[in-house]
Amino acid sequence: MDTRHRAAPALIACVFALVACTPADLAPPTPDMTLEQAKERTMQVEREIAALVPPENVAEITQNQTGYLFSCSMPERYSWMGFLRVSYSEPADIESVLAEAETLFTDRDGYRVRDDPTVAGRPRVKISGLAGEVYFVHEKPDGSALEIWSYSPCVPLPEGAWPGSAF
């Protein structure tokens, strides 16, 4: 593995070091949920949030199929880290999109939603759930896209996987 690939998980870990691990409009996670199920659940929630951007503002949606595995706040549990970007064809009303995301998840059992501005003071919403999931929803600093950074529910690692590895 070259230096770039070894540095990527560390860089991503630093970006997310200040965040906690959140659920969706799906059945509650179970203790025996697999990493693959947790990943699919997280990707589904990312797509649900992305759908809040009006279609006339969407140029492209890019969702990472591979993410990295990180320790959760739960012992011997790990999260798959995901990412989705909605590139705009024309700027979206970010305040409306974030307000819709807040409403959508505030009304769901098992979720906490709060405003969590970025370090630069730009609007961002943090959606957290009881199973260790978290979704950070914000606009790219240049205003060209909506970004969703996420952690899956906390699950045990399958055999052959290790913290920091790609999955």
Side-chain angles (χ1 to χ4, degrees), residues 9 58 79:
V58 178
S79 283

Side-chain angles (χ1 to χ4, degrees), residues 71-91:
S71 245
C72 282
S73 57
M74 301 173 185
E76 298 185 30
R77 298 287 174 141
Y78 298 85
S79 283
W80 176 83
M81 191 201 75
F83 176 78
L84 184 144
R85 175 178 288 138
V86 180
S87 297
Y88 301 146
S89 54
E90 59 182 77

Side-chain angles (χ1 to χ4, degrees), residues 10 30-31 36 43 52 68 75 78-79 84 86 90 101 109 111 114 116 122 129 132 143-144 147 161 163:
T30 60
E36 187 62 47
M43 293 176 75
L52 298 173
Y68 293 93
Y78 298 85
S79 283
L84 184 144
V86 180
E90 59 182 77
D109 289 337
Y111 285 90
R114 70 179 173 101
D116 184 47
R122 297 183 54 90
S144 66
E147 294 183 334

Side-chain angles (χ1 to χ4, degrees), residues 7-79:
L11 176 61
I12 293 168
C14 289
V15 170
F16 283 95
L18 300 176
V19 300
C21 283
T22 263
D25 189 29
L26 309 168
T30 60
D32 60 347
M33 178 181 271
T34 66
L35 181 57
E36 187 62 47
Q37 291 167 326
K39 174 183 173 180
E40 179 52 41
R41 174 191 176 93
T42 303
M43 293 176 75
Q44 184 174 352
V45 172
E46 289 174 347
R47 291 187 297 268
E48 184 178 2
I49 295 167
L52 298 173
V53 177
E56 62 271 13
N57 296 94
V58 178
E60 179 181 27
I61 297 177
T62 307
Q63 186 174 37
N64 286 3
Q65 300 298 309
T66 302
Y68 293 93
L69 304 175
F70 291 96
S71 245
C72 282
S73 57
M74 301 173 185
E76 298 185 30
R77 298 287 174 141
Y78 298 85
S79 283

Side-chain angles (χ1 to χ4, degrees), residues 15-16 19 46 49-50 52-53 81-88 92-99 101-102 114-127 134-150:
V15 170
F16 283 95
V19 300
E46 289 174 347
I49 295 167
L52 298 173
V53 177
M81 191 201 75
F83 176 78
L84 184 144
R85 175 178 288 138
V86 180
S87 297
Y88 301 146
D93 178 355
I94 189 62
E95 288 81 17
S96 292
V97 172
L98 294 179
E102 285 187 54
R114 70 179 173 101
D115 290 328
D116 184 47
T118 66
V119 174
R122 297 183 54 90
R124 178 173 65 182
V125 170
K126 178 181 178 184
I127 303 165
V134 69
Y135 302 88
F136 292 93
V137 185
H138 62 273
E139 196 167 55
K140 198 172 168 189
D142 68 4
S144 66
L146 178 80
E147 294 183 334
I148 304 162
W149 292 85
S150 61

